[in-house]
Amino acid sequence: KREYDKWWDGTSDRRARLERWNDLMENIIRDVDLPFEGASQVHIPVVAIYAKVYHSVQRRSIMGSGQLWYLDTLDEYLEDFIPDIEEAMNYKARAEWNTFEALSDGFHNANRDDLGVIQFSYRFDTEDGEESLFITGPEDLDRELPDPQASGLSLKEWAEYQIQAQQASEEDPFEIPTQFERETYRGPYGEIIELADFVTFPHTAKDIDRRNCKAYGKKFTATKEDLLDGVESGMYYEDEVKQLVRGAGSKPSSYQMSKDFAAGINRPGKSNEYDLIEIIYSAKLRGKELKYIFTYSTEKDILIGVRPYIICSESYVLLRIEKKPNQLVGGSVCGGLSDLNDEID
């Protein structure tokens, strides 16, 4: 809690600046005292225009060919397989995973905020589906539903289907409704983390490696349903989550309200979302350094979950259009042009 408070207080100026830059990107201008009645108040979107040009160039130059990865190997045995592996990985990134979309959004934030942050994790999503089997005879039924146990049917249901199959034909089949679980996503998934919600301990960290940063992660919101699902999956502690959701939800931050205003969104007075932070922290146990993920409610001071960090490589990707030595954030379009835009306005 103490480290979080230091980060929150120490980055207050940054969040105020990010609000202003987001307004410039969304062409929202400040109210000013006009020198005389009827004076013109025209906004020229210099920042937004340059940011769109940057974003277009980035997409064309980096993703335009449809190929993100170029593979090579020192193993002679694998040389013949490299083209197929390379083609398969790039196809999945384009067509099945959200890699291209995440990178595009990350470029947008890097142009606006000095730093674009993407968190990659493995994701496996399914949804329930329903389809019908049309049975044309006993042989057809034996092929589709060989026995009650394998088919998930009771003996009574299976026997009834056997009787109906005797009377079925190609011209007059009978229908059996079935349910199944459909895979909707499997693979790496990129989530955009706003710089205002990117947490580092200490807040002055120059990078997120172990030498410069004790812990890092994200501030995020979760609904009551999300939290209970996390309990069911073993991600969160049941008693702590129940304690958390007994209280009211969190109020949106000033930065979030600014983004909502730009998008024309009004949030209800009573929130069903709870502010949390998810921190990756390295700890030494029995001489070995291991990483853990801590999920914590800063408002209620409740640790709702701890789990091992099982990803082999770094899950956070940092994007900058201009890297500055010994600084976590770099340069941006907004940082370079915001003063000019204010003077023009």
Side-chain angles (χ1 to χ4, degrees):
K1 182 72 162 62
R2 184 171 60 250
E3 289 287 351
Y4 174 80
D5 290 340
K6 288 181 181 178
W7 170 81
W8 182 258
D9 295 338
T11 57
S12 59
D13 290 343
R14 175 189 292 171
R15 289 193 300 277
R17 186 171 68 243
L18 292 175
E19 283 185 39
R20 173 60 185 146
W21 288 354
N22 185 70
D23 287 347
L24 284 173
M25 290 283 284
E26 299 293 340
N27 296 321
I28 297 173
I29 60 175
R30 299 172 177 173
D31 292 330
V32 297
D33 295 329
L34 300 178
F36 56 89
E37 186 177 351
S40 174
Q41 188 180 5
V42 177
H43 171 65
I44 301 176
V46 175
V47 166
I49 291 171
Y50 272 83
K52 287 178 181 177
V53 171
Y54 255 92
H55 193 237
S56 176
V57 171
Q58 288 162 336
R59 284 179 56 88
R60 289 201 312 269
S61 60
I62 298 174
M63 300 186 295
S65 66
Q67 186 157 349
L68 288 178
W69 295 299
Y70 297 86
L71 306 185
D72 201 356
T73 181
L74 297 177
D75 190 333
E76 293 183 2
Y77 174 76
L78 295 176
E79 284 183 356
D80 293 339
F81 302 98
I82 287 296
D84 291 337
I85 297 172
E86 187 179 273
E87 182 180 355
M89 288 182 62
N90 282 293
Y91 171 78
K92 283 183 172 293
R94 292 192 310 270
E96 297 182 10
W97 303 333
N98 81 325
T99 309
F100 273 65
E101 178 184 352
L103 283 174
S104 178
D105 292 345
F107 297 154
H108 174 276
N109 282 13
N111 296 337
R112 184 191 63 192
D113 296 342
D114 290 341
L115 184 70
V117 183
I118 310 175
Q119 181 189 20
F120 279 96
S121 59
Y122 187 82
R123 185 164 171 174
F124 177 53
D125 294 337
T126 61
E127 65 180 13
D128 293 332
E130 187 173 300
E131 65 181 4
S132 295
L133 297 177
F134 291 93
I135 304 300
T136 60
E139 298 81 4
D140 203 5
L141 180 65
D142 291 341
R143 183 172 58 253
E144 296 290 350
L145 306 174
D147 60 75
Q149 186 175 3
S151 307
L153 300 171
S154 67
L155 287 173
K156 181 179 180 181
E157 289 175 321
W158 194 68
E160 289 177 353
Y161 288 157
Q162 291 285 343
I163 295 173
Q164 293 183 60
Q166 296 292 336
Q167 303 170 355
S169 65
E170 291 282 350
E171 294 76 19
D172 187 23
F174 81 94
E175 180 182 354
I176 301 177
T178 62
Q179 293 184 340
F180 65 96
E181 196 173 59
R182 179 191 298 117
E183 179 181 307
T184 58
Y185 193 97
R186 182 196 290 266
Y189 183 86
E191 176 189 355
I192 301 299
I193 310 301
E194 298 288 347
L195 179 56
D197 296 328
F198 184 51
V199 182
T200 60
F201 298 158
H203 67 279
T204 56
K206 300 174 184 177
D207 207 336
I208 60 172
D209 59 31
R210 187 69 183 90
R211 295 173 301 169
N212 294 291
C213 191
K214 292 190 294 185
Y216 58 92
K218 64 182 180 181
K219 181 176 178 289
F220 70 106
T221 59
T223 65
K224 180 179 179 180
E225 291 74 21
D226 294 334
L227 294 167
L228 294 177
D229 287 345
V231 170
E232 188 175 342
S233 66
M235 185 182 298
Y236 302 140
Y237 304 140
E238 183 175 4
D239 292 341
E240 282 71 10
V241 166
K242 287 182 177 178
Q243 181 184 349
L244 175 62
V245 300
R246 277 199 295 265
S250 306
K251 295 180 179 179
S253 65
S254 175
Y255 178 72
Q256 185 60 55
M257 291 175 66
S258 172
K259 295 199 70 178
D260 288 348
F261 177 78
I265 296 174
N266 292 315
R267 293 180 183 263
K270 186 177 180 181
S271 172
N272 186 36
E273 297 181 333
Y274 298 84
D275 280 347
L276 302 168
I277 60 170
E278 183 184 272
I279 296 296
I280 299 173
Y281 179 77
S282 297
K284 278 193 174 182
L285 295 175
R286 299 174 184 175
K288 292 184 178 180
E289 188 170 295
L290 302 173
K291 283 186 176 182
Y292 292 88
I293 300 175
F294 294 80
T295 308
Y296 174 71
S297 167
T298 56
E299 290 183 324
K300 307 294 178 61
D301 196 17
I302 302 173
L303 181 66
I304 67 169
V306 179
R307 64 189 190 274
Y309 182 85
I310 60 175
I311 301 176
C312 297
S313 60
E314 178 54 61
S315 61
Y316 279 82
V317 176
L318 307 183
L319 304 175
R320 308 173 183 89
I321 63 172
E322 177 192 356
K323 194 175 187 308
K324 296 183 178 180
N326 296 320
Q327 290 189 36
L328 179 65
V329 300
S332 68
V333 174
C334 287
L337 295 176
S338 59
D339 288 344
L340 173 62
N341 217 144
D342 287 343
E343 288 298 318
I344 293 175
D345 289 347

